Amino acid sequence: MTTEPIILEMRSITKEFPGVKALDRVSLTVKAGEIHSICGENGAGKSTLMKVLSGVYPYGTYEGDIIFQGSECRFKDIKSSEAAGIVIIHQELALIPELSITENIFLGNEPRGRFGNIDWVVAKKTAIELLARVGLADDPDTQIKNLGVGKQQLVEIAKALHKSVKLLILDEPTAALNEADSQHLLDLILGLKGRGIASIMISHKLNEIEKISDEITIIRDGKSIETLNIQADGVNEDRIIRGMVGRTLENRFPDRNSKIGEVFFEVKNWTVQHPLTAERMVVKNSSFSVRRGEVVGFAGLMGAGRTELAMSIFGRSYGTFISGQVFMNGKEIQLRNVAEAIENGLAYVSEDRKALGLNLLDDIKESVVSAKLSKISRGQVIDKVKEHNIAEEYRKSLRIKTPTVQEGVNKLSGGNQQKVVLAKWMFTDPDLLILDEPTRGIDVGAKTEIYGIIRDLAAQGKGVIMISSELPELLGVSDRILTIFEGAITNDIPASEADPETLMRSMTSSKKKVTQP
Amino acid sequence: MSATTEAPKKSGGIRDLSKMFGNGSSTRQVGILGALIVIIILFQILTGGLTLDPINLINLVNQNAYVLILAIGMVMVIIAGHIDLSVGSVAAFTGIIVAISMQSWHFPPLLAIVFGLVVGTLIGMWQGFWVAYIGVPAFIVTLAGMLIFRGGNQFVGNSQSIPVPDSFAIIGNGFIPDFGPQFGFSNGTLILGLLVAVAVVWQEIRERQTQRKMGSESAPLWVSVVKVVILLAVVLYATYLFATGRPGTSYPVSGIILGVLVLLYSFITRNTTFGRHIYAVGGNWHAAELSGVNIRRINFLVMMNMSILAALAGMIAVGRSVASGPGDGVGWELDAIAAVFIGGAAVSGGIGTIVGSIVGGFVIAVLNNGLQLLGVGIDRVQIIKGLVLLLAVGIDVYSKKQGRPSIIGRFTRARRINESLDVPRVVPTLPEEETARPKSTTPN
């Protein structure tokens, strides 16, 4: 056990919302210069705890004490917590896309010249220094909108460094990053640790947590369950999961119970151009097929063209169609728009359920039927009794946790929202379901349920394409895995013969067909 | 009701009462309806009974029918996430063309009305084309339309007034004809009132049947009875008022047109796939597109529909003043838009109802009318109207942002929490996910 001094102590924090106790006497102790992770299912109270700490919920709206660097703190807003040296970086980055890196770093904190004007010379010089510290080589005049998410994350950290941060809070920092960017970010956090900056990290990616944390506090149902020391307690992923769900997930992946039939869906020589940049092909001459009852995994890094491939097939929802054919049951079909794609038995569950998958103003029943209203209407008139009963059926069969199907979808947790989206597409009776990152941002328990649903769909004889950034999930659920690199399919291997190393190799090089010995 | 179970019964009663007007989503409408009732009572007292005088009431409907018709189209436009600034000009342009068609080309009134609707359709297709297929924001397209069709009206009519025949003017200033034996009431209006009364009862019975079919708990019978009795009282009292106006007057024809349109469009927005698609496009057009909704078609139709209704409103207004002039319809778009927002629609789209907008329109109408009866000048009336609009939307935005239920919504809120506590895990109400949506109802 380290004997580092304690930098932060949160004592018996209780936070109530009308009717709900979000935090119930939660305690958290962070030592100076350590990386402390907070784990818990969605809805466990992690974000609420961080909002209490950063002053989003001001002093007086919660019970308990916050002691930071030896003195009790009563933050009344984010500004006062930042003044104390606590900076939170949210999952959704708070940068302004139209402004430059420098302007963003100094936003609200601009160095002043003699007449109260902004001293851009000083600002730019400082910005270059800060960018060097986070390992970002871009021109500080670059507009944020021209940076990838990974680099934007680094700008956020540079901004925090400028505020002379002592405790950095990162909420799901790697959720939107690819492997390489994630690695870079994690290295950076370790580097900050070397310079004495403590970090609190919230993440669903348990392997990352295991890799870089010193200690882990597990929160479940608004209560702090335990604090584990990675080295002393011999913590591994299974141990963390056990703490989070209160039980061991014996088997995170369901059995492959489906009978794989003949090929029914084929894509040949699919080529798609970037919507804005001509001559840039995001999908290059790709061909693949799906069999009945088969789950085909699509592996590839961010930006490899997985989503672009899927969306362009689904009624040309992305980019400019250049060439290619789609065959269903041996017959060529035309998928010129989404309506035709749905009509031909395709379904696409998008990777961003809030922006692309759901109308957050709808309630559950309206969402479930929204992709095929014709199924519950006579002529143009909707049969609301049918609508209700169908939504009720899905609520029960998919175990969507909600009192009624009249509940608004914006009130559901991520996992339950995802189940609603799945129900919406199952309702269209598709033959082929394309699931784009179906478990992104949802907790471990719900993930297992989603895997079960995917395997059930396959068992019913449907074809499933699953796009995922998580290799264990691809290996655990798919029957066959295709790898994509720079818009082209680079490998096609049965899941039983695949391993993470092989996949990663095909995902990062264009060498065709790594031959198996 | 025994004394021992009094406490739970009471809260149960409040919960059931709140169900009277449907589920939580319509609490805003109930709130604005309450405000309307308060305003009516207030003016009734202040004006010494003039507000609910038959002559005034008939006037009120007649004067405002066309703005309310505009509000019907406007709420659909706003739900879809657009706005239409051109409605007043479109109404005026159609009005003058229709007037000319009767004066110069000797169109019979019925043909002239059909002609006017065709003109409205063409204008709507023009504006819909720019909005839906070219992608110019509706604000710009209809700002242009506002100028184009205002100028068009003055160009075509040489900035003169053109009279219309009395047979045409019926749609604007006519009343339900009287017939049969005379009791001092208008028999036509009495029959209309009875029809509405029967419809109210039938609607409530059907509502209960649907609820039962869905297997969802419907409110106890006494709630329905209370609701029906209240509604019947309102309907019959209104019938009495409209039927006892000045001889020769009764319920206005324009009011009947309005009523039919409200029923028709309520049905379209609530019960048809087209209506559902309007909400989908306004709520999240990305998601709508990926669900197979033809967004361009919806935008096109919504804009087209608005201009058709504007044409109809223009003709009714022409009928009411028995002439079409260069200043017709000035500022109508603002009254229609204000009605829609007071009625609970969201600027960002996806939210709003026909009935809410009509109630919102009546709030403005009664304010206008009451203040005028009190002799308040048009200057101060405008100031008050502006403040009411700001206040109504302000209260709504504030209560949403703070997660504080509105006064009326408090009861439904309490019920929801009770319900969700019955569920083993209270996933839905936890604010964990809220970080993603700073604007949503994060409890403070």
Side-chain angles (χ1 to χ4, degrees), chain A residues 503-515:
Chain A
L503 290 177
M504 192 51 80
R505 233 176 290 133
S506 309
M507 284 156 64
T508 50
S509 75
S510 53
K511 235 191 285 161
K512 261 279 179 202
K513 302 271 174 193
V514 181
T515 38

Side-chain angles (χ1 to χ4, degrees), chain A residues 206-435:
Chain A
L206 301 184
N207 55 339
E208 291 176 358
I209 287 181
E210 191 192 335
K211 225 183 295 170
I212 74 162
S213 309
D214 298 303
E215 288 197 317
I216 300 173
T217 293
I218 292 173
I219 296 182
R220 192 201 310 150
D221 298 334
K223 297 189 181 76
S224 39
I225 301 300
E226 54 189 349
T227 295
L228 304 168
N229 186 299
I230 290 275
Q231 277 150 11
D233 299 341
V235 174
N236 58 19
E237 281 185 48
D238 288 338
R239 176 68 189 80
I240 302 174
I241 291 173
R242 196 170 7 141
M244 281 164 65
V245 298
R247 68 196 127 87
T248 323
L249 286 176
E250 287 298 324
N251 193 353
R252 282 166 66 188
F253 301 108
D255 295 336
R256 293 186 175 80
N257 49 358
S258 61
K259 275 209 305 272
I260 296 181
E262 77 283 12
V263 168
F264 77 105
F265 183 81
E266 276 179 285
V267 172
K268 285 184 181 161
N269 306 321
W270 200 254
T271 301
V272 176
Q273 182 189 298
H274 190 270
L276 302 175
T277 326
E279 289 143 37
R280 190 178 145 202
M281 298 302 159
V282 281
V283 179
K284 295 170 196 155
N285 208 24
S286 296
S287 302
F288 64 92
S289 60
V290 181
R291 299 184 181 87
R292 288 195 186 281
E294 184 182 40
V295 179
V296 179
F298 275 25
L301 298 173
M302 276 264 175
R306 306 166 306 174
T307 298
E308 291 79 358
L309 172 61
M311 285 183 77
S312 61
I313 292 170
F314 188 66
R316 301 187 188 170
S317 315
Y318 175 89
T320 313
F321 173 79
I322 297 294
S323 68
Q325 291 168 295
V326 181
F327 295 88
M328 181 74 95
N329 299 320
K331 266 201 313 224
E332 183 172 2
I333 51 172
Q334 295 296 328
L335 307 172
R336 282 164 303 215
N337 53 51
V338 174
E340 279 186 341
I342 295 173
E343 210 47 52
N344 279 297
L346 266 67
Y348 172 68
V349 174
S350 89
E351 61 182 327
D352 189 339
R353 62 184 162 266
K354 280 178 184 158
L356 304 176
L358 289 170
N359 175 358
L360 293 171
L361 300 169
D362 273 346
D363 58 29
I364 294 169
K365 62 179 163 45
E366 287 162 347
S367 303
V368 168
V369 299
S370 63
K372 203 150 196 174
L373 284 175
S374 59
K375 235 173 109 180
I376 53 153
S377 42
R378 241 177 314 158
Q380 283 270 307
V381 180
I382 295 169
D383 184 338
K384 293 200 170 178
V385 177
K386 245 189 205 167
E387 174 186 49
H388 178 274
N389 293 346
I390 283 165
E392 233 355 87
E393 276 171 36
Y394 281 110
R395 180 178 78 93
K396 285 182 195 134
S397 65
L398 301 187
R399 283 185 293 173
I400 301 168
K401 283 174 200 143
T402 166
T404 70
V405 292
Q406 267 102 347
E407 201 72 40
V409 287
N410 63 337
K411 296 213 174 118
L412 299 177
S413 69
N416 284 307
Q417 281 182 349
Q418 190 68 349
K419 287 182 190 172
V420 172
V421 180
L422 283 172
K424 165 179 164 180
W425 288 107
M426 286 158 73
F427 176 67
T428 66
D429 285 328
D431 295 313
L432 177 78
L433 282 105
I434 306 172
L435 312 178

Side-chain angles (χ1 to χ4, degrees), chain B residues 301-424:
Chain B
L301 290 177
V302 164
M303 294 307 291
M304 185 177 93
N305 176 65
M306 177 76 258
S307 290
I308 297 174
L309 289 177
L312 181 61
M315 290 189 283
I316 290 174
V318 166
R320 186 168 171 271
S321 50
V322 209
S324 169
D328 285 1
V330 171
W332 287 3
E333 59 281 341
L334 302 179
D335 277 339
I337 292 167
V340 169
F341 286 128
I342 290 179
V347 186
S348 48
I351 299 174
T353 59
I354 302 282
V355 174
S357 306
I358 295 298
V359 174
F362 270 113
V363 167
I364 298 181
V366 172
L367 264 176
N368 255 338
N369 176 270
L371 290 170
Q372 271 165 22
L373 288 178
L374 289 174
V376 178
I378 194 77
D379 46 353
R380 280 172 292 163
V381 171
Q382 288 195 48
I383 294 174
I384 292 170
K385 268 161 68 180
L387 289 174
V388 166
L389 171 64
L390 197 58
L391 198 70
V393 179
I395 288 174
D396 195 40
V397 169
Y398 178 79
S399 61
K400 264 185 202 155
K401 194 158 60 188
Q402 303 294 317
R404 292 190 190 114
S406 59
I407 298 144
I408 312 264
R410 202 171 284 272
F411 298 122
T412 31
R413 178 88 169 193
R415 187 191 77 214
R416 282 226 183 120
I417 288 162
N418 286 342
E419 276 172 10
S420 55
L421 285 180
D422 299 337
V423 188

